Amino acid sequence: MARPKKAESIRRTSNVMVRFSSIEYELVAGYAKDAGYPISTFVRKQALSEKVTVNYNIVADIGEIQKLTAQAAGIGNNLNQIARYFHGGGLSSRGMLEELKKCIAEIRELRQEIVQLGGAYRGNSKTHRK
């Protein structure tokens, strides 16, 4: 049994040739996959300015999030104590400077852990053209 014919209004008879570099193609293919469309449908929707929504499922380990939250609270507490000291007229000292450097380093480490937990984020969740 043959496949039924599409209605005239839906039949696509014109072709457009688009060339991508290998990097561009991988990006477009990734966006299309994230959006749940074949590449041709994704490109067509983008070209016609139709809104293409991408749904990301975020999976997180609650224990890790709680651990990071506790670390952030501890760092914030340290920074608040340092700020209170300086606002109270305390003199800056080598010890305070070292404590500030330590807090900043901890914040950077915490940020790296959060990035690793979040995984590799690629692209923009708003893939429609304005």
Side-chain angles (χ1 to χ4, degrees), residues 40-127:
S40 60
T41 303
F42 179 80
V43 171
R44 184 181 313 108
K45 286 182 174 289
Q46 290 295 92
L48 297 174
S49 298
E50 292 184 28
K51 184 175 181 179
V52 177
T53 58
V54 179
N55 298 318
Y56 291 99
N57 294 326
I58 299 173
V59 179
D61 180 9
I62 299 300
E64 279 294 315
I65 291 173
Q66 289 174 338
K67 181 180 126 189
L68 292 174
T69 302
Q71 286 178 349
I75 294 168
N77 185 34
N78 289 345
L79 288 174
N80 283 337
Q81 289 176 8
I82 293 168
R84 188 178 309 125
Y85 174 80
F86 284 123
H87 287 295
L91 299 174
S92 61
S93 67
R94 178 166 283 171
M96 283 292 171
L97 183 60
E98 292 301 317
E99 186 66 23
L100 280 172
K101 287 181 181 179
K102 180 182 167 191
C103 288
I104 290 169
E106 288 177 4
I107 289 170
R108 287 186 178 137
E109 288 175 17
L110 188 59
R111 184 173 61 185
Q112 286 299 320
E113 285 184 49
I114 291 169
V115 168
Q116 288 175 355
L117 278 177
Y121 172 73
R122 180 185 73 246
N124 185 347
S125 62
K126 296 179 180 178
T127 60

